[in-house]
Amino acid sequence: MLDTLKPRKFLSLGRYDLPYVGDTSKPYFVTIGCSYSAGTALDYKDVWCNVLAKKLKLQHVNLSFGGSSLEYQHDKIVESEKILSDAKFIVWMQTHPERSHRKFLSYFIGDRNARVKFDITDDDVRAWHKIQKMYDSVKHKKILITNCWHWNNKIKLLVENKICKKNKNYFFNKHEKIDVAYDNLHAGPKSHLVLANELTAHILKHFPNWVKEITI
C-alpha cells in the first residue's frame, strides 16, 4: 500500500523511492514537502524531518518530492490519511505557490513531467489566496504547516499576520538559509537544525498530546 504514495515515473513504469520510510510498527509521523524536505544535496541525517524525528523520539515517513507543487503535496496528504491513518500527525513544509501539478497527466507522463509553472508569481495576490485555500482545507486536522525557505517577503508577511498569529497549527519559518548544501543552492545542515529545533519547541508547547517521550 505504501508504494501508492511514491511519485510515478514516466508512463507509470515504476515509482521513485520515497526519501525515507521509518519503522511504522512504532509511533511515527508523516512529512511532506519539496526538495527542501526530501533532503536534496544533504546527508539525510541532517534533513529537518529526520532531526525532528530524533528529537521527538518518533519514527517518520517522508513523502516529499523535489520540485513538487502545493497541489501535489495536498493530494499526498489526502492519500496518506487513508494509508497511514495511524500516524501521530503530519508536518507539511509548503513549497513555492507558483508551482502547479496536472494530476491527470501524471498517470501518463509521470509526476516529475506533470509539474508546471502556474501563471502566478510569488508576490501575486493569487499566490496568497492559493496558500490560504490550502491552509483552510486542512486546518482542522492534525497537521502542522510551515513555509519553506525563500518565500517572497510579502507572502510571508501575510502568512505571519493573517494565519500564524491566530492559528498555532501553522508555524512561521521566519529564517532565510544560513548555510548551503552540497549543491550550493539548497539550505544546509545548520539551517535545517534551526528549523527542527523551533518545530520541536512549537510542538511541545502547543501540541504536547501529539507526542509522548521526548528528549530535546
Side-chain angles (χ1 to χ4, degrees), residues 74-85:
H74 182 270
D75 287 345
K76 287 301 174 184
I77 287 174
V78 173
E79 292 176 36
S80 72
E81 287 175 317
K82 300 173 183 176
I83 297 171
L84 300 171
S85 58

Side-chain angles (χ1 to χ4, degrees), residues 147-148 150-161 172-176:
N147 53 292
C148 71
H150 301 310
W151 268 21
N152 173 273
N153 286 333
K154 178 180 176 181
I155 296 297
K156 285 170 66 176
L157 188 63
L158 285 167
V159 168
E160 182 182 18
N161 289 289
F172 179 59
N173 178 18
K174 63 181 180 294
H175 303 291
E176 291 302 322

Side-chain angles (χ1 to χ4, degrees), residues 10-152:
F10 184 69
L11 296 178
S12 294
L13 298 174
R15 303 230 178 196
Y16 295 100
D17 288 335
L18 295 174
Y20 184 84
V21 178
D23 184 354
T24 56
S25 68
K26 299 177 181 179
Y28 71 95
F29 63 94
V30 172
T31 58
I32 182 70
C34 59
S35 56
Y36 288 119
S37 303
T40 297
L42 279 177
D43 294 329
Y44 193 75
K45 65 179 178 62
D46 295 322
V47 181
W48 69 265
C49 315
N50 190 61
V51 179
L52 178 64
K54 298 297 184 185
K55 289 181 176 293
L56 298 181
K57 286 191 173 180
L58 291 171
Q59 296 289 313
H60 74 290
V61 176
N62 192 339
L63 305 180
S64 303
F65 186 42
S68 59
S69 65
L70 291 177
E71 289 88 348
Y72 173 90
Q73 294 164 11
H74 182 270
D75 287 345
K76 287 301 174 184
I77 287 174
V78 173
E79 292 176 36
S80 72
E81 287 175 317
K82 300 173 183 176
I83 297 171
L84 300 171
S85 58
D86 55 344
K88 294 295 184 181
F89 56 91
I90 296 171
V91 185
W92 180 8
M93 178 183 262
Q94 293 187 329
T95 191
H96 297 280
E98 77 270 16
R99 295 176 179 172
S100 191
H101 182 258
R102 298 297 182 257
K103 186 176 181 179
F104 70 96
L105 286 177
S106 68
Y107 294 95
F108 305 101
I109 62 175
D111 284 310
R112 192 177 300 280
N113 293 324
R115 299 176 305 191
V116 296
K117 194 161 186 177
F118 202 47
D119 63 339
I120 59 175
T121 60
D122 263 349
D123 62 350
D124 195 311
V125 67
R126 290 173 297 172
W128 160 244
H129 289 317
K130 182 177 179 180
I131 292 165
Q132 191 172 43
K133 180 180 178 181
M134 290 290 175
Y135 172 75
D136 288 342
S137 70
V138 301
K139 65 182 179 182
H140 298 302
K141 300 181 179 182
K142 292 176 70 174
I143 299 176
L144 178 63
I145 306 175
T146 190
N147 53 292
C148 71
W149 292 277
H150 301 310
W151 268 21
N152 173 273

Side-chain angles (χ1 to χ4, degrees), residues 197-213:
N197 284 339
E198 292 187 348
L199 287 172
T200 300
H202 188 85
I203 291 171
L204 283 176
K205 180 178 181 180
H206 299 290
F207 305 102
N209 59 312
W210 287 4
V211 293
K212 292 183 180 179
E213 297 179 4

Side-chain angles (χ1 to χ4, degrees), residues 146-194:
T146 190
N147 53 292
C148 71
W149 292 277
H150 301 310
W151 268 21
N152 173 273
N153 286 333
K154 178 180 176 181
I155 296 297
K156 285 170 66 176
L157 188 63
L158 285 167
V159 168
E160 182 182 18
N161 289 289
K162 298 291 187 179
I163 297 179
C164 299
K165 285 188 176 179
K166 297 179 181 179
N167 304 279
K168 299 307 179 185
N169 56 343
Y170 200 121
F171 173 79
F172 179 59
N173 178 18
K174 63 181 180 294
H175 303 291
E176 291 302 322
K177 62 185 181 185
I178 56 178
D179 62 343
V180 293
Y182 302 140
D183 61 359
N184 290 318
L185 177 65
H186 288 83
K190 292 179 181 178
S191 302
H192 282 254
L193 178 60
V194 168

